[in-house]
């Protein structure tokens, strides 16, 4: 817990060779309440969406035996297979990934699927890619509504979705109750947003990522990953204080990445303690 909030841990903070039971046991041993699973662009993680019943049973059993839920999903596979791609086969794959992810979430009790706010990533962005991206989001909302699974747009590391204000432009044309926002205080801060941005998303905020970043400047592209907590540009007391004043009661999720050779237990424990100190400040 962080105050009265559930506290989640990102799957990628843990060594990839751990079994599902080992991952989930580590969550509670390190003082967290739930795990956020990653379905990223790598083949091995996308393959989870096509698991056999036997493979699915392994995760069901681990969740049952440990009592640890997987409460949210980071669905960044759309970076490789974006809705805005000029290739219709890639777009078809994007839609397929969304539907399979929603069904996966329904099966495992995952409350929120976090979407990547990229129209394209490995292709040039164009007016057409932006139109197709919006069309893809509309389709995703329809699938989410069908199965009653919440979608949430993350505030990202690229300009398209670099603020809650930018998310709200899409929300205005996609007023589905199943399309919400999942702010990342690190990404918000790196793009120079002040705490007023947090207020803009309060009514549609279903989760908050906690991580540190280095700010984007005229001569530096920013650093959005693997910045030690407390060493970057994020004013955590200000961000967390604003969320508390806004009456936010949802979960917080510590986002960090395992690096080979590190004492990952110590790194995660330290990150949690830093956040507890910042929350109390």
């Amino acid at each position: 817990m962080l105050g009265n909030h559930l506290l989640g841990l990102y799957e990628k903070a843990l060594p990839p060779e751990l079994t599902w039971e080992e991952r989930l046991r580590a969550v509670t041993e390190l003082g967290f309440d739930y795990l956020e699973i990653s379905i990223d662009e790598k083949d091995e993680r996308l393959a989870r969406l096509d698991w056999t019943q036997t493979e699915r049973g392994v995760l069901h059993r681990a969740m049952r035996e440990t009592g640890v839920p997987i409460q949210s999903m980071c669905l960044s596979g759309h970076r490789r297979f974006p809705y805005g791609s000029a290739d219709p086969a890639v777009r078809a794959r994007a839609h397929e990934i969304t539907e399979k992810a929603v069904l996966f979430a329904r099966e495992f009790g995952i409350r929120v699927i976090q979407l990547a706010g990229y129209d394209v990533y490995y292709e040039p962005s164009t007016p057409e890619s932006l139109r197709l991206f919006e069309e893809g989001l509309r389709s995703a909302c329809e699938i989410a509504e069908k199965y009653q699974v919440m979608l949430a747009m993350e505030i990202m590391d690229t300009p398209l979705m670099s603020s809650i204000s930018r998310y709200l432009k899409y929300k205005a044309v996609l007023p589905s109750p199943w399309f919400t926002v999942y702010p990342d205080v690190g990404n918000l801060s790196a793009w120079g947003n002040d705490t007023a941005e947090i207020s803009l998303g309060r009514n549609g905020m279903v989760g908050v990522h906690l991580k540190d970043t280095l700010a984007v400047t005229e001569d530096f592209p920013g650093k959005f990953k693997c910045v030690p907590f407390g060493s970057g540009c994020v004013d955590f007391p200000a961000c967390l204080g604003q969320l508390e004043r806004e009456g936010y009661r949802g979960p917080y999720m510590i986002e960090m990445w395992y690096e080979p050779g590190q004492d990952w237990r110590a790194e995660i424990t330290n990150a949690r303690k830093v956040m507890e100190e910042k929350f109390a400040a």
Side-chain angles (χ1 to χ4, degrees):
M1 302 285 284
L2 190 63
N4 289 322
H5 300 265
L6 293 178
L7 184 62
L9 180 65
Y10 189 37
E11 177 192 346
K12 288 187 178 180
L14 300 167
E17 64 270 17
L18 296 183
T19 66
W20 280 111
E21 184 169 344
E22 289 169 338
R23 286 189 188 108
L24 296 179
R25 291 202 185 281
V27 167
T28 51
E29 290 167 2
L30 294 167
F32 294 82
D33 300 297
Y34 70 93
L35 184 74
E36 180 167 280
I37 192 172
S38 170
I39 305 293
D40 65 17
E41 62 187 302
K42 294 179 181 176
D43 288 337
E44 57 266 33
R45 284 202 167 95
L46 285 170
R48 293 171 173 179
L49 302 180
D50 294 306
W51 271 347
T52 64
Q53 286 304 311
T54 299
E55 290 169 316
R56 290 168 185 266
V58 171
L59 181 52
H60 279 299
R61 187 161 49 254
M63 294 172 69
R64 184 171 60 251
E65 292 181 358
T66 63
V68 177
I70 297 177
Q71 193 158 305
S72 52
M73 174 195 293
C74 179
L75 182 61
S76 54
H78 284 130
R79 185 162 72 171
R80 177 178 167 193
F81 298 102
Y83 282 125
S85 176
D87 185 342
V90 171
R91 296 198 302 274
R93 180 72 169 123
H95 287 274
E96 177 186 42
I97 286 169
T98 300
E99 183 153 20
K100 287 182 176 181
V102 167
L103 291 171
F104 186 99
R106 185 179 69 160
E107 177 177 347
F108 288 98
I110 295 168
R111 300 291 190 262
V112 173
I113 296 176
Q114 174 195 315
L115 299 175
Y118 306 122
D119 59 330
V120 287
Y121 192 82
Y122 299 111
E123 304 174 38
S125 180
T126 66
E128 178 64 3
S129 70
L130 291 169
R131 185 191 70 79
L132 291 167
F133 176 59
E134 183 180 316
E135 184 180 284
L137 290 179
R138 189 178 306 279
S139 172
C141 290
E142 292 172 357
I143 294 168
E145 182 172 355
K146 178 178 179 179
Y147 294 108
Q148 293 186 310
V149 173
M150 189 65 70
L151 303 179
M153 182 62 72
E154 185 185 8
I155 304 308
M156 302 300 296
D157 54 355
T158 55
L160 178 64
M161 210 66 67
S162 59
S163 67
I164 294 174
S165 298
R166 289 177 179 266
Y167 150 76
L168 287 173
K169 292 179 180 178
Y170 285 91
K171 180 65 173 178
V173 296
L174 299 168
S176 170
W178 304 98
F179 181 54
T180 58
V181 66
Y182 196 137
D184 181 313
V185 297
N187 293 347
L188 279 172
S189 300
W191 288 111
N193 298 292
D194 60 26
T195 55
E197 273 289 310
I198 291 172
S199 302
L200 295 178
R202 175 62 192 96
N203 290 334
M205 195 180 299
V206 295
V208 174
H209 270 174
L210 301 177
K211 73 176 182 190
D212 219 337
T213 52
L214 299 179
V216 175
T217 66
E218 290 184 2
D219 55 1
F220 180 65
K223 186 175 181 182
F224 294 87
K225 292 176 61 175
C226 301
V227 176
F229 282 80
S231 67
C233 68
V234 181
D235 186 341
F236 286 106
C239 292
L240 293 167
Q242 184 67 25
L243 285 159
E244 291 301 297
R245 286 190 294 275
E246 292 290 335
Y248 176 70
R249 295 295 179 266
Y252 289 109
M253 209 287 299
I254 288 183
E255 186 176 31
M256 55 191 300
W257 289 265
Y258 168 77
E259 296 181 47
Q262 71 177 186
D263 184 344
W264 56 274
R265 289 182 178 273
E267 293 289 333
I268 294 170
T269 299
N270 180 67
R272 179 176 55 78
K273 288 181 177 179
V274 169
M275 286 299 95
E276 289 171 346
E277 293 168 0
K278 300 294 186 183
F279 186 83

